[in-house]
Amino acid sequence: MAHAREDPRSVPTELRPYLEELVRRTRTVCGPHLVSVLAVGSLALGDYRHGRSDVDVTVVVEPSLPGSAPHDLAGALAHPRLPCPAAGLELVVYGTDFVGRPSGAAGYLLDLNTGPLLPDRADFDAARSPAFWYVIDRSVAHQTGLTLFGRPAREVIAAPDRPDLLTAIRASVREHSDGEGHLADNRVLNGCRSVVFCRTGRWMAKRVAAREVALAEGEFRPLIEAAVRSFERPRSSALPLPTAEVRAFLAWVRERVDQTARAAGA
């Protein structure tokens, strides 16, 4: 039986019709095999920025889902067939047999990226993908996932074990340090979020984490404040940030994360 959405006011007005249609199409494709549709990422953390943020959605299904259904779902939700009002849709489908237990693997049945500012991608082979983004996303989902349909996140998504999660965070920081394919402001703010998680064990919105790090680390405050100003602009007009300062900050982040991971045996 479907649960009511946990708090409809948590979904930005600009996204409500889109998410309602996304849920409707997902129910049509998956039928009785659908367990949950969850908003994760910036929506779950209360930091969605229209024109900048992606819509992050996790779908959980029974293992009995027909093998053709992930392909059908990718077609039904692809932009512009279902026009995405955000920068893009990042949707991941998991089976309950995988997502109900802690894991450091990617483990998805479908990883769909689509939308006006995202390159289209529909992948059905989790073995080909680096696992770290999926591990982090499942941790965020377990902590704060917003139920759009079905069972709540904590009932269906297991929290990753701490060593696996810290290993994933280390990998994400390494990728941001390389800089390929990521906006500079997002690299800085994700670095803040990683540091705050290592200190508190909780995921926070990027701008909240940025304020905490800026207050505690005066050396990096101007860079972090510039990253927040850039993040508050549309993706197409992000502000440039000093390359050397971004690298120095991410090197500091990496040291903090490495220390925490070593202490946890990761």
Side-chain angles (χ1 to χ4, degrees), residues 119-222:
D120 286 333
R121 175 178 182 267
D123 188 83
F124 307 92
D125 184 1
R128 300 189 303 183
S129 296
F132 59 89
W133 291 126
Y134 307 95
V135 177
I136 292 171
D137 284 348
R138 292 197 301 270
S139 178
V140 174
H142 178 83
Q143 176 189 297
T144 58
L146 178 66
T147 305
L148 303 176
F149 171 84
R151 294 168 58 191
R154 283 181 174 266
E155 291 185 8
V156 295
I157 298 181
D161 290 332
R162 185 168 173 81
D164 286 337
L165 181 54
L166 290 169
T167 295
I169 295 171
R170 291 173 93 175
S172 74
V173 173
R174 286 196 297 271
E175 171 149 322
H176 279 310
S177 297
D178 294 338
E180 189 67 27
H182 299 284
L183 291 171
D185 56 20
N186 206 41
R187 294 164 64 199
V188 170
L189 298 183
N190 270 331
C192 292
R193 197 171 67 164
S194 295
V195 168
V196 171
F197 179 84
C198 287
R199 291 175 175 173
T200 67
R202 297 283 297 173
W203 292 108
M204 295 186 181
K206 291 175 183 176
R207 287 178 291 180
V208 174
R211 286 196 295 271
E212 290 211 4
V213 177
L215 286 172
E217 308 294 336
E219 174 187 358
F220 299 116
R221 187 175 303 157

Side-chain angles (χ1 to χ4, degrees), residues 19-37 59-61 65-66 68-77 81-82 149:
L19 289 173
E20 288 170 0
E21 180 62 15
L22 182 150
V23 169
R24 189 191 70 79
R25 294 188 184 203
T26 303
R27 293 181 69 181
T28 298
V29 171
C30 298
H33 310 282
L34 181 62
V35 175
S36 298
V37 181
V59 175
V60 181
V61 297
L65 183 77
S68 61
H71 297 265
D72 294 340
L73 186 61
L77 301 182
R81 184 173 179 181
L82 175 59
F149 171 84

